[in-house]
């Protein structure tokens, strides 16, 4: 067995996923558990630590075989100090030095970053971003997250808050967003807003999967809803394309399962609106690593 192995952990608000990640991005001993979101913080940290111990035991690896553990968390992080700023969807995590806590518990080097940055690194190295130098990665789900790679490195911004594509406003006036902004793109295409829209159109509760199936079987109303998502995202991303001139934009996350239903109007919108050179150069593609992007990417946080 390879001695160059890392552990990647994708710590989400609903699921915690982890695995060993090999040099070429392959996973082994993958494990997924529900996040005990109502448990005390110490219990949650112990759950993560004991799951890591279990996969190490299962694998037969020696601690010495493991280069390190990378963990991506759902919120802003001071990655240099290894401290979580706060987690918007899990209470009680403000200022937690998770890197050193896990390092002490496990006796293995730990690296910590935001989950979207981790996912961005994963797609960049082993997924749809392979070969790009400048890349923007989006995750479409409850929220709209974004990560930026410039010249092969994550761009973090002055206070480590860069990449918030979801909070680009697409209108002067509009609905208020949690971030305190107005008419942020997330406020239109976050999954619960799409579901709300669908409920109004179909006058009944409908899941995103149903909406995708309906659109694929030719239902005009369902198609129109996805088209609207793509068009709105196209407005926001036109600004991104003009500003950053990326090689590629990689779209992942649950909402992106609608695939071409969103991507077609999105590409069209950018082609029409963005400046010519930028628009001609950029490729807009779906993420390749799917559900594992966060695990693979987290392992890449380890130097
Ligand atoms: Zn916002």
């Amino acid at each position: 067995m390879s001695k160059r192995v890392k552990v990647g952990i994708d710590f989400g608000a609903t699921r915690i996923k982890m695995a060993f990640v090999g040099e070429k991005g392959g996973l082994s001993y993958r494990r997924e558990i529900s996040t005990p979101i109502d448990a005390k913080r110490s219990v949650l940290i112990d759950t993560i630590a004991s799951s890591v111990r279990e996969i190490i035991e299962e694998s037969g690896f020696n601690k010495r075989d493991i280069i390190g553990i990378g963990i991506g968390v759902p919120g802003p992080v001071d990655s240099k100090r290894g401290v979580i700023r706060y987690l918007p969807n899990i209470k009680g995590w403000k200022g937690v030095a998770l890197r050193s806590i896990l390092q002490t518990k496990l006796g293995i080097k730990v690296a910590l970053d935001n989950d979207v940055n981790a996912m961005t690194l994963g797609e960049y190295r082993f997924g749809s971003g392979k070969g790009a130098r400048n890349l923007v990665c989006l995750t479409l789900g409850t929220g709209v997250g974004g990560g930026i790679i410039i010249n092969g490195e994550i761009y973090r911004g002055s206070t480590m808050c860069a990449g918030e594509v979801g909070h680009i406003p697409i209108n002067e006036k509009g609905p208020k967003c949690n971030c305190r902004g107005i008419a942020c793109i997330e406020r239109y295409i976050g999954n619960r807003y799409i579901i709300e829209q669908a409920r109004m159109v179909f006058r009944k509760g409908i899941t995103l999967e149903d909406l995708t199936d309906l659109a694929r079987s030719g239902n005009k109303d369902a198609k129109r809803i996805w088209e609207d998502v793509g068009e709105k995202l196209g407005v926001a991303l036109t600004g991104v394309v003009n500003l950053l001139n990326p090689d590629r934009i990689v779209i992942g996350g649950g909402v992106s399962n609608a695939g071409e239903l969103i991507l077609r109007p999105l590409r069209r919108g950018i082609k029409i609106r963005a400046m010519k050179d930028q628009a001609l150069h950029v490729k807009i593609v779906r993420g390749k690593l799917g559900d594992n992007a966060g695990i693979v990417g987290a392992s890449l946080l380890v130097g």
Side-chain angles (χ1 to χ4, degrees):
M1 260 190 210
S2 165
K3 281 199 172 185
R4 309 288 299 165
V5 80
K6 298 172 181 176
V7 176
I9 306 176
D10 182 0
F11 170 14
T14 47
R15 313 282 291 163
I16 297 169
K17 295 170 246 172
M18 64 179 69
F20 282 104
V21 184
E23 266 179 300
K24 289 179 182 153
L27 301 192
S28 55
Y29 300 96
R30 190 184 189 282
R31 161 164 310 209
E32 187 169 336
I33 53 171
S34 309
T35 307
I37 196 166
D38 296 320
K40 269 171 53 187
R41 188 178 72 224
S42 59
V43 174
L44 218 163
I45 293 174
D46 281 339
T47 307
I48 294 173
S50 57
S51 298
V52 173
R53 281 190 208 102
E54 279 162 30
I55 63 166
I56 292 174
E57 198 169 314
E58 223 177 280
S59 69
F61 284 129
N62 198 299
K63 261 193 198 176
R64 283 193 310 270
D65 301 330
I66 300 162
I67 302 167
I69 298 168
I71 177 163
V73 302
V77 162
D78 181 338
S79 58
K80 269 194 194 133
R81 291 170 52 230
V83 175
I84 293 174
R85 292 242 167 96
Y86 63 95
L87 301 181
N89 296 310
I90 313 178
K91 277 184 194 140
W93 283 76
K94 201 173 170 190
V96 174
L98 186 64
R99 182 176 69 195
S100 62
I101 296 172
L102 283 178
Q103 249 166 211
T104 310
K105 277 187 190 292
L106 294 164
I108 301 170
K109 189 171 127 193
V110 174
L112 177 78
D113 207 333
N114 166 267
D115 57 355
V116 185
N117 281 347
M119 174 189 156
T120 303
L121 273 177
E123 289 290 352
Y124 170 69
R125 278 285 289 283
F126 294 118
S128 307
K130 239 170 145 177
R133 214 157 46 97
N134 300 311
L135 167 124
V136 176
C137 188
L138 252 68
T139 162
L140 308 181
T142 312
V144 174
I148 302 168
I149 286 184
I150 293 179
N151 286 327
E153 274 181 41
I154 291 272
Y155 175 74
R156 297 177 194 280
S158 300
T159 61
M160 299 199 159
C161 298
E164 294 290 358
V165 176
H167 302 283
I168 295 176
I170 59 165
N171 275 313
E172 195 182 346
K173 289 180 183 147
K176 193 131 178 49
C177 182
N178 282 339
C179 76
R180 81 185 209 106
I182 291 164
C184 295
I185 179 68
E186 179 173 305
R187 204 45 198 74
Y188 297 94
I189 68 159
N191 62 14
R192 87 184 101 124
Y193 302 109
I194 302 174
I195 288 168
E196 217 168 79
Q197 180 83 17
R199 194 188 300 128
M200 276 177 352
V201 171
F202 292 99
R203 299 199 179 144
K204 60 172 184 175
I206 182 169
T207 65
L208 291 184
E209 290 75 22
D210 291 341
L211 191 63
T212 302
D213 289 344
L214 274 172
R216 284 187 181 142
S217 63
N219 183 293
K220 285 210 172 79
D221 289 330
K223 267 181 160 166
R224 182 62 224 147
I225 291 172
W226 284 124
E227 221 163 82
D228 189 53
V229 169
E231 280 168 3
K232 288 204 163 66
L233 189 55
V235 173
L237 290 185
T238 293
V240 171
V241 166
N242 286 346
L243 181 70
L244 296 177
N245 186 202
D247 301 306
R248 233 166 282 171
I249 295 181
V250 177
I251 316 264
V255 173
S256 75
N257 290 336
E260 290 298 315
L261 291 167
I262 298 177
L263 293 187
R264 224 174 289 125
L266 168 58
R267 290 191 191 106
R268 194 175 56 222
I270 289 174
K271 204 170 158 195
I272 295 167
R273 288 192 188 84
M275 297 170 83
K276 207 174 156 199
D277 280 357
Q278 290 93 317
L280 280 175
H281 181 72
V282 70
K283 288 208 164 46
I284 295 158
V285 293
R286 266 184 85 181
K288 214 184 214 168
L289 304 180
D291 210 23
N292 290 329
I295 302 178
V296 174
S299 78
L300 295 169
L301 299 170
V302 183

